[in-house]
């Protein structure tokens, strides 16, 4: 992960749990290392963390995609207690989640575009890809890239410089 220095990258486990990240992913999203293990989850963060809500230019679209992506987990493991607990928690704490979960929309996308408005780096449009490990289909890596020479690539370069200079180069592979 640490070799990917110019692109945000996350290793995701079941139910969108964040298992590992690089410095740029931490600078873009949040300092995952300071979060309790339970809170290192993109679905949970998307709905419950106000800073993550503000990070997405179109939060509703990003959040709906997260819900539809999580619905695929139900198809594979309908009785999974961890997933049931996560869905129950989000259903109680967030009305949007509760409504969108009830729609039963399912989507499993392996690529797309995310738009961010970062408090330090400004606007970024990043293409993302999910690469699944053939030996462990419960783990995948999400890599986000910007077109060469684009304003988003410049914003990523600024973000990594800022994170390094401010001592905020939060990166790690966590258990």
């Amino acid at each position: 992960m640490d070799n990917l220095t110019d692109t945000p990258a996350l290793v995701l486990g079941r139910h969108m749990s964040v298992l590992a990240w690089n410095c740029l992913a931490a600078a873009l999203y949040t300092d995952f290392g300071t979060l309790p293990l339970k809170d290192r989850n993109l679905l949970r963060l998307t709905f419950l963390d106000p800073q993550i809500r503000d990070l997405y230019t179109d939060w509703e679209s990003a959040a709906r995609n997260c819900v539809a992506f999580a619905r695929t987990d139900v198809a594979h493991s309908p009785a999974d207690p961890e997933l049931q607990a996560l869905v129950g928690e989000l259903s109680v704490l967030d009305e949007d989640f509760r409504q969108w979960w009830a729609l039963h929309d399912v989507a499993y996308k392996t690529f797309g575009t995310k738009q961010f408005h970062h408090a330090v780096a400004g606007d970024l449009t990043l293409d993302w890809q999910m690469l699944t490990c053939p030996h462990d289909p419960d783990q995948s890596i999400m890599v986000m890239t910007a077109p060469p020479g684009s304003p988003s690539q410049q914003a990523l370069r600024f973000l990594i410089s800022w994170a390094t200079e401010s001592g905020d180069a939060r990166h790690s592979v966590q258990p």
Side-chain angles (χ1 to χ4, degrees):
M1 291 294 288
D2 288 336
N3 288 333
L4 297 171
T5 58
D6 61 349
T7 184
L10 298 166
V11 175
L12 300 175
R14 295 173 45 233
H15 322 311
M16 300 175 69
S17 294
V18 178
L19 304 177
W21 56 92
N22 68 359
C23 177
L24 195 48
L28 178 63
Y29 280 99
T30 190
D31 185 352
F32 297 105
T34 65
L35 299 176
L37 285 174
K38 174 188 168 208
D39 293 340
R40 294 179 196 167
N41 180 283
L42 281 186
L43 184 61
R44 178 181 282 109
L45 289 168
T46 298
F47 282 93
L48 302 183
D49 187 314
Q51 289 179 329
I52 299 296
R53 275 186 186 246
D54 291 344
L55 178 63
Y56 289 107
T57 303
D58 181 1
W59 175 82
E60 182 176 333
S61 178
R64 283 178 176 263
N65 285 335
C66 281
V67 171
F69 192 84
R71 271 271 173 209
T72 62
D73 281 346
V74 172
H76 293 114
S77 305
D80 183 321
E82 287 179 31
L83 180 59
Q84 289 176 352
L86 179 60
V87 168
E89 174 190 13
L90 294 175
S91 295
V92 168
L93 297 175
D94 191 275
E95 183 177 340
D96 290 323
F97 179 86
R98 185 171 46 255
Q99 290 175 358
W100 299 334
W101 187 260
L103 294 175
H104 295 273
D105 291 337
V106 177
Y108 182 75
K109 292 177 64 175
T110 58
F111 64 93
T113 301
K114 292 179 180 275
Q115 294 182 325
F116 300 98
H117 180 76
H118 193 273
V120 172
D123 293 330
L124 297 100
T125 299
L126 302 176
D127 296 322
W128 61 272
Q129 280 193 303
M130 295 284 283
L131 308 168
T132 302
C133 178
H135 303 292
D136 186 353
D138 286 340
Q139 288 190 21
S140 53
I141 184 169
M142 180 172 64
V143 178
M144 293 171 268
T145 59
S150 69
S152 293
Q153 184 185 44
Q154 295 304 317
L156 285 176
R157 287 182 178 157
F158 173 78
L159 188 59
I160 194 64
S161 173
W162 168 79
T164 303
E165 289 174 13
S166 69
D168 203 19
R170 306 162 297 193
H171 69 286
S172 190
V173 174
Q174 296 295 318

